């Protein structure tokens, strides 16, 4: 694991609401992270991707077919053609608002790996599941079903990144403690292929990014809301590298 760079990914979700603003934030991030030791990946809405050059780009979603009658969808090959390197798959907001299932997530992961995209595969338990003591059961189910038969694509360590994102921590301001994150990351390491990068995500800000990278065993961060503020996002990256 040691030689791989940490990865700090920005998930802009469905923001910002203009090309001009997207370029402005992106250029400020690009400027701010010059010389950073981590791999900084920006995941904008897919429509802005052709505008943004100079940092590795990730998409926030993908479909699992090559092309055809799938109105509104975008294929892994189309993303590759745009120069996209990463794709977020299985984000909680897609599971919740769009009913994405573990089976669909698995198809997206396999097709994307086959197409040469790197994956940021999101998993995490809800408040209720955590309260009922089912966290590990949920993480295990999401990993097993999400990565089913994915080994057949000869997973390279850098191709698969798992983001541990407790649902109760996403966009709530209630980040998971470093200790609890460590427990989950240690558990995920027992299930996922060896030597992959595991990220933490959930209300990361410059004042609370804390010791995730140093003490929880995380190899990076997935940052939502705070990544739309270039100064704040840059601060997170710089602090995480100290
Ligand atoms: C996310 O969307 O993956 C996320 C972690 O969001 P936030 O940082 O806003 O909680």
């Amino acid at each position: 694991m040691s030689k791989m760079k940490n990865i700090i990914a920005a998930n802009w979700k469905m923001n910002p609401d203009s090309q001009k603003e997207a370029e402005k934030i992106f250029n400020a991030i690009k400027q701010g992270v010059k010389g950073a030791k981590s791999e900084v990946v920006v995941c904008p809405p897919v429509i802005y991707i052709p505008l943004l050059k100079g940092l590795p780009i990730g998409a926030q979603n993908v479909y699992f077919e090559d092309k055809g009658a799938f109105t509104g969808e975008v294929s892994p090959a189309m993303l590759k053609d745009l120069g996209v390197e990463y794709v977020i798959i299985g984000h909680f907001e897609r599971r919740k608002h769009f009913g994405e299932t573990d089976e669909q997530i698995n198809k997206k992961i396999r097709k994307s790996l086959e197409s040469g995209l790197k994956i940021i595969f999101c998993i995490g338990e809800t408040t209720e599941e955590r309260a009922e003591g089912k966290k590990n059961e949920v993480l295990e189910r999401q990993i097993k079903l999400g990565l089913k038969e994915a080994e057949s694509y000869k997973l390279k360590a850098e191709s698969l990144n798992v983001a541990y994102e407790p649902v109760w921590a996403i966009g709530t301001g209630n980040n998971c403690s470093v200790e609890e994150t460590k427990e989950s990351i240690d558990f995920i390491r027992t299930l996922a292929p060896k030597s992959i990068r595991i990220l933490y995500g959930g209300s990361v800000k410059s004042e609370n990014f804390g010791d995730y990278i140093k003490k929880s065993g995380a190899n990076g961060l997935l940052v939502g809301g705070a990544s739309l503020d270039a100064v704040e996002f840059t601060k997170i990256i710089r602090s995480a590298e100290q």
Side-chain angles (χ1 to χ4, degrees):
M1 187 69 262
S2 53
K3 278 184 226 97
M4 246 187 304
K5 278 188 181 181
N6 288 325
I7 172 171
I8 303 193
N11 176 15
W12 284 1
K13 314 191 189 207
M14 201 171 73
N15 301 294
D17 56 7
S18 73
Q19 300 177 59
K20 204 167 156 212
E21 190 61 14
E23 284 180 301
K24 193 170 141 203
I25 301 170
F26 185 84
N27 289 334
I29 292 176
K30 199 163 73 175
Q31 195 61 31
V33 304
K34 267 191 186 150
K37 288 185 243 126
S38 313
E39 185 175 9
V40 179
V41 178
V42 177
C43 307
V46 74
I47 196 161
Y48 298 142
I49 288 175
L51 303 173
L52 310 178
K53 307 275 179 217
L55 286 174
I57 296 291
Q60 300 172 13
N61 183 32
V62 69
Y63 196 55
F64 50 76
E65 297 286 350
D66 290 320
K67 59 180 180 173
F70 303 102
T71 302
E73 297 296 323
V74 169
S75 74
M78 292 170 188
L79 294 178
K80 281 291 285 180
D81 188 51
L82 280 185
V84 170
E85 267 187 62
Y86 284 87
V87 59
I88 298 174
I89 298 182
H91 192 280
F92 150 71
E93 286 154 16
R94 294 216 54 88
R95 295 180 193 254
K96 181 177 174 211
H97 300 306
F98 305 98
E100 247 179 47
T101 63
D102 290 314
E103 194 191 0
Q104 289 166 329
I105 289 166
N106 174 250
K107 286 187 185 170
K108 291 180 176 196
I109 289 177
R110 283 164 42 200
K111 190 72 187 173
S112 298
L113 287 171
E114 189 190 321
S115 307
L117 287 168
K118 297 175 197 163
I119 312 297
I120 300 173
F121 170 34
C122 300
I123 58 171
E125 81 287 356
T126 62
T127 311
E128 297 73 33
E129 289 161 344
R130 179 170 175 248
E132 289 165 12
K134 293 188 178 151
K135 176 170 78 174
N136 286 359
E137 193 185 309
V138 170
L139 297 179
E140 185 162 358
R141 190 200 69 231
Q142 291 175 337
I143 293 223
K144 290 222 161 115
L145 298 180
L147 296 182
K148 200 169 151 199
E149 290 166 27
E151 298 82 0
S152 59
Y153 297 111
K154 296 199 175 57
L155 283 178
K156 286 196 227 106
E158 70 271 21
S159 307
L160 178 67
N161 302 276
V162 172
Y164 170 57
E165 296 211 304
V167 168
W168 48 270
I170 300 177
T172 57
N174 184 19
N175 59 305
C176 185
S177 70
V178 171
E179 294 71 31
E180 192 173 338
T181 302
K182 179 171 175 5
E183 269 172 35
S184 301
I185 289 183
D186 287 348
F187 179 67
I188 294 165
R189 285 213 190 277
T190 66
L191 304 169
K194 298 281 165 275
S195 75
I196 59 162
R197 289 183 291 193
I198 302 182
L199 285 62
Y200 166 73
S203 295
V204 171
K205 296 193 186 63
S206 62
E207 71 263 27
N208 73 13
F209 86 93
D211 288 325
Y212 284 113
I213 291 189
K214 282 180 216 118
K215 295 199 181 146
S216 75
N219 311 105
L221 302 166
L222 182 53
V223 185
S227 70
L228 287 157
D229 177 337
V231 173
E232 174 73 358
F233 186 54
T234 304
K235 242 196 240 175
I236 292 170
I237 292 163
R238 295 292 174 197
S239 322
E241 290 186 347
Q242 275 163 18

